[in-house]
């Protein structure tokens, strides 16, 4: 029994609507396989028996399908790595990247080709002919100059005869795939129990959603597609935006309309993507440094690891509380008593405002047992005269210096000799949390002269947000 001459037939792949680069890559792959198979087929007229203990050789088609499945698994792992990197899970993303490249050294190229093919299919599925029967229609408004997230076509959600919301970004592409009729359906296997929530009118559901917090709303949106659409109502997220984005979060009320226009009236994206200082908890920085100690033995070197904490609590009226404690005071003890009435060493009260993505804190005055009971000795804040949002924090702090020096002559004799000010960069890890503050500048300002002296930041660490349900 002899094997057939010539190369084995390869499976045919339809190359419709595929990139030319992918077609050329497939043809080159076929040619290389034919070159490998030709000498093997010609020399197989006198087959040799397999060595004992080894299985028969698999056909070339089986090898090709195995290689294709390996590339497919590598692309899936690479896609998971990209998703982890987008969510700032860098350690997990690095592990997945290594695993993908071990499966296929050219997985990045295969991934980009696959993404191009999927984007073309998505463009065809969202064509105007298909969307005309969908309750989501493409908006004709001009794209906004949004640099935070890649801007996609905006979709307008309808309910009855009114527009309930405008959705932009990647969520608009997902909503375009939703069917025309949306309803609450029972879970599989529980059809007999029915769905009581489907009896409630949508208007009443929207009223209930407006009484919930953002976390509960997003959890409800994960129930099904109709719940997702209901939670995108503009009235729900407009309340959160108007409640949060006001001075000192932004300069004034007209600035809010500019922010909303920047996101094309997508209030949910405004609340998630626009910088905001959170006031439902405390920002905490855990700092360490090593200090040399004394030892009775000359050959033994003693080092002490010193740990201290910095706390920042922001208030809607523009006040900020700053506290520096050593390791004797743990956060569980400090957080309940961090209030404006606190008096202890290392406790400061100042003023803050948000300029772009920079939090500016000024007029930090220590409030210990010897300090006056009220905060009337604070210098006037720079927020009363600064309406623009300069991007350089050194320019922002210089305005505070000038105002401090100009009005130092009119201060009462009980005022402190020095005040402190900070500039912190507001970050969000992951998107929408706004839970990180990176200390960029920390100055000591002499009240009499307005001279600012930078303080060293060698041991300082970033502040991370910790939510507090209630204070004692």
């Amino acid at each position: 029994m002899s094997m057939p001459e010539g190369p084995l037939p390869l499976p045919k792949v339809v190359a419709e609507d595929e990139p030319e680069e992918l077609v050329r890559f497939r043809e080159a792959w076929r040619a290389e396989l034919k070159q490998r198979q030709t000498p093997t087929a010609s020399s197989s007229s006198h087959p040799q028996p397999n060595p004992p203990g080894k299985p028969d050789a698999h056909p070339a088609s089986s090898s090709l399908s195995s290689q294709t499945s390996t590339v497919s698994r590598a692309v899936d792992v690479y896609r998971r790595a990209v998703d982890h990197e987008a969510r700032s899970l860098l350690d997990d993303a690095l592990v997945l990247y290594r695993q993908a490249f071990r499966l296929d050294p050219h997985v990045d190229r295969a991934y980009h080709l696959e993404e191009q093919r999927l984007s073309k299919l998505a463009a065809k599925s969202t064509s105007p002919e298909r969307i005309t029967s969908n309750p989501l229609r493409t908006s004709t408004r001009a794209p906004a100059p949004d640099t935070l997230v890649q801007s996609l076509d905006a979709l307008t959600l309808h309910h009855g005869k009114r527009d309930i919301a405008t959705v932009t970004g990647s969520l608009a592409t997902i909503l375009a795939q939703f069917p025309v009729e949306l309803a609450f359906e029972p879970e599989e296997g529980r059809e007999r129990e029915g769905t009581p929530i489907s009896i409630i009118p949508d208007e009443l559901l929207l009223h209930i959603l407006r009484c919930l917090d953002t976390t509960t709303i997003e959890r409800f949106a994960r129930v099904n597609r109709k719940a997702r659409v209901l939670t995108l109502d503009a009235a729900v997220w407009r309340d959160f935006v108007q409640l949060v984005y006001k001075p000192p979060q932004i300069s004034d009320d007209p600035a809010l309309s500019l922010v909303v226009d920047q996101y094309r009236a997508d209030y949910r994206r405004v609340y998630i993507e626009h910088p905001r200082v959170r006031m439902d908890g405390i920002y905490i920085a855990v700092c360490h440094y090593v200090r040399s100690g004394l030892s009775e033995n000359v050959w033994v070197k003693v080092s002490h690891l010193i740990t201290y904490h910095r706390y920042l609590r922001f208030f809607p009226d523009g006040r900020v509380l700053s506290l520096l404690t050593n390791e004797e005071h743990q956060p569980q003890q400090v957080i309940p008593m961090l209030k404006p009435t606190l008096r202890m060493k290392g406790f400061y009260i100042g003023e803050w405002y948000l300029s772009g993505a920079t939090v500016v804190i000024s007029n930090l005055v220590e409030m210990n047992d010897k300090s006056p009971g009220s905060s009337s000795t604070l210098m006037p804040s720079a927020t009363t005269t600064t309406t623009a949002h300069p991007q350089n924090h050194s320019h922002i702090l210089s305005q505070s210096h000038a105002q401090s020096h100009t009005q130092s002559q009119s201060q009462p004799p009980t005022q402190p000799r020095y005040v402190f000010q900070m500039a912190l960069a507001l970050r969000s890890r992951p998107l929408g949390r706004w839970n990180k503050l990176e200390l960029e500048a920390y100055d000591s300002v002499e009240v009499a002269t307005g001279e600012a002296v930078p303080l060293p930041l060698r041991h300082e660490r970033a502040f991370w947000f910790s939510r507090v349900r209630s204070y004692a």
Side-chain angles (χ1 to χ4, degrees), residues 45 99 159 185 199 235 290 295 328 415:
S45 58
Q99 181 180 354
H159 182 268
E185 298 179 356
I199 306 175
V290 178
S295 175
E328 296 179 359
Q415 69 176 4

Side-chain angles (χ1 to χ4, degrees), residues 205-224 227-233 235-240 268 271:
L205 287 176
L206 292 176
H207 180 74
I208 296 174
L209 291 176
R210 296 182 67 176
C211 301
L212 305 177
D213 56 70
T214 57
T215 303
T216 308
I217 291 174
E218 287 300 310
R219 287 178 179 173
F220 176 71
R222 297 167 59 183
V223 173
N224 64 358
R228 173 77 277 178
V229 173
L230 288 175
T231 56
L232 296 176
D233 192 284
V236 176
W237 294 97
R238 187 187 297 112
D239 295 342
F240 293 111
R268 181 175 177 272
Y271 186 81

